[in-house]
Amino acid sequence: MSLVKIKDAPTVWNYLNGVVNVYKPAGLTVQQVRHTIIGNLCRDLNQLKVRPPLQRIAIESGSNSKYLVRRKEDLSDNVLVVGPRYQTEDIRMRMSANHGRLTSGVLVVGINQGLSMAYRIQQNRPLRVYRVTAFLGKATETHFGDSRVIGRATVEHIGSEKINRLLASLQASHQKKMFELCGVDMQSQAAYDLAVKGTIRPADKSQPMIYGIRLVEFRRPFFTIEMHAINETEAYIGNLVHEIGLNLKSVAHCVGIRCIRHGHFELKDALLRKDWNLQCFLNSMAQTNQLLKQHPEMTQQVNSELVDLEDNDSSNLGSHQEQSEKE
């Protein structure tokens, strides 16, 4: 079956409804990403064949005292008068995560009729995975590298083993906090029943929760951690890096945050900035529809458990550990 190339803008507009996975660059706000995408979509739609101007009825005097009724082009509907057919106000867009300006990586975007689906993904709070790079030895005002340095400390006493022990302790404290938020005792049968069901979400959407954190690279004074969390913000991650530096008897600040996965949306499928055009967005919507059909729990959660994510995370962690041991 041969593919037919569609050049009609109204037909393409009818298919411009769904969810796409884009790569947000660092240094851009979510609003700037939104304006760029909408501008590119309007540009590409207006380059296609748009509808002709409307017709108006004109009554003109003719010969023998008769009137002629003709149909003429309505100049008030001409693109030279009213502007391009597709304006930025015509396209609706919603983000499923409110990444900060310094955060890059996976960003799930709903367009037009895909707004409700993007909202359901956001409300279900799927697990997000980050790679956070930090710098040891310097403390800044905002805990990020673009602000003024306010403190310095030595880093020669810090090694990868010390960081691993600290991150393991941090993960254990957050796991204990999950059961406290659920109102159950760690030594009770209810806690065991919750644990065997899988990873659970806190009822408070404003409560950040870390489900897994580990060291993936250490090159003094830089180190990179992988973090699995929900309800997190850019400010919270910067604060976390600052506390890690203090617990290591030093100081640290964050120099990079990259979201490598949002639920089942992965980094390898994210559209780069050069691909923010109409054709790539339509292709991405088709792939996303297949992904959501395979994993309906992303939009229709029936309980507070994180479905099909913990197993993948544990297998990935195991493969990384095996690889590190071999090296």
Side-chain angles (χ1 to χ4, degrees):
M1 181 178 179
S2 61
L3 298 177
V4 179
K5 188 174 182 180
I6 300 176
K7 298 182 179 181
D8 185 49
T11 303
V12 176
W13 171 262
N14 293 333
Y15 288 98
L16 193 61
N17 301 289
V19 175
V20 294
N21 177 13
V22 302
Y23 183 89
K24 176 192 172 299
L28 293 181
T29 64
V30 171
Q31 287 300 321
Q32 288 174 327
V33 172
R34 180 180 183 275
H35 293 327
T36 302
I37 292 176
I38 291 179
N40 291 351
L41 293 178
C42 290
R43 176 202 63 197
D44 294 345
L45 284 170
N46 289 316
Q47 289 176 354
L48 299 175
K49 183 180 179 181
V50 298
R51 67 171 179 83
L54 299 176
Q55 301 292 316
R56 66 180 180 89
I57 302 300
I59 301 177
E60 302 175 351
S61 59
S63 58
N64 300 327
S65 300
K66 294 183 179 179
Y67 292 96
L68 299 177
V69 179
R70 296 179 179 178
R71 299 181 61 183
K72 291 187 176 182
E73 178 183 333
D74 188 358
L75 297 180
S76 65
D77 191 49
N78 193 287
V79 293
L80 299 177
V81 178
V82 299
R85 289 285 178 235
Y86 295 93
Q87 305 283 341
T88 56
E89 295 81 6
D90 299 331
I91 299 179
R92 298 175 299 155
M93 184 174 295
R94 181 188 182 91
M95 312 296 183
S96 292
N98 189 21
H99 291 325
R101 181 178 62 87
L102 302 177
T103 303
S104 63
V106 174
L107 180 63
V108 181
V109 178
I111 299 177
N112 291 340
Q113 295 181 14
L115 264 67
S116 60
M117 190 172 297
Y119 176 75
R120 291 199 298 270
I121 293 175
Q122 183 181 16
Q123 292 301 305
N124 283 327
R125 291 173 291 156
L127 199 71
R128 284 191 285 265
V129 183
Y130 292 89
R131 288 286 176 92
V132 182
T133 303
F135 184 89
L136 289 166
K138 291 182 181 179
T140 60
E141 286 183 336
T142 62
H143 311 319
F144 288 95
D146 61 344
S147 62
R148 185 170 63 92
V149 177
I150 60 175
R152 299 176 186 272
T154 59
V155 298
E156 288 76 12
H157 63 285
I158 301 176
S160 59
E161 298 83 4
K162 193 172 184 179
I163 298 178
N164 281 323
R165 288 195 300 268
L166 176 61
L167 297 181
S169 174
L170 180 65
Q171 178 177 330
S173 65
H174 273 260
Q175 290 176 349
K176 181 180 179 181
K177 192 175 182 179
M178 292 181 208
F179 293 98
E180 293 176 354
L181 292 174
C182 293
V184 297
D185 185 10
M186 282 283 292
Q187 306 299 326
S188 64
Q189 180 66 30
Y192 174 78
D193 294 337
L194 284 175
V196 297
K197 288 182 179 179
T199 308
I200 56 177
R201 296 178 175 86
D204 187 3
K205 297 180 181 180
S206 62
Q207 177 65 47
M209 189 62 61
I210 298 176
Y211 292 91
I213 184 169
R214 66 185 183 91
L215 181 69
V216 295
E217 185 179 8
F218 179 70
R219 292 183 301 167
R220 192 186 296 116
F222 294 95
F223 69 92
T224 302
I225 59 176
E226 183 175 289
M227 184 176 68
H228 304 244
I230 64 171
N231 296 336
E232 77 297 329
T233 61
E234 185 176 272
Y236 174 78
I237 296 176
N239 240 351
L240 179 66
V241 170
H242 176 69
E243 292 178 1
I244 290 175
L246 294 178
N247 289 326
L248 292 172
K249 301 298 189 293
S250 182
V251 291
H253 68 273
C254 185
V255 296
I257 303 175
R258 183 172 63 171
C259 179
I260 62 175
R261 199 183 72 198
H262 184 173
H264 293 281
F265 295 95
E266 298 182 358
L267 188 65
K268 62 183 179 63
D269 300 322
L271 295 178
L272 300 178
R273 189 171 184 177
K274 63 183 181 65
D275 297 325
W276 292 357
N277 54 62
L278 183 61
Q279 183 62 55
C280 291
F281 268 57
L282 292 174
N283 295 338
S284 180
M285 286 180 182
Q287 297 175 1
T288 301
N289 289 335
Q290 294 295 328
L291 182 65
L292 293 177
K293 288 180 180 178
Q294 295 173 4
H295 306 283
E297 71 278 354
M298 289 192 65
T299 57
Q300 297 177 356
Q301 283 285 352
V302 295
N303 51 37
S304 62
E305 301 164 13
L306 292 175
V307 182
D308 294 335
L309 286 179
E310 190 67 17
D311 294 338
N312 293 336
D313 294 342
S314 60
S315 62
N316 291 335
L317 289 174
S319 61
H320 285 301
Q321 292 175 354
E322 292 176 0
Q323 183 177 0
S324 61
E325 291 175 356
K326 291 180 180 179
E327 293 176 354

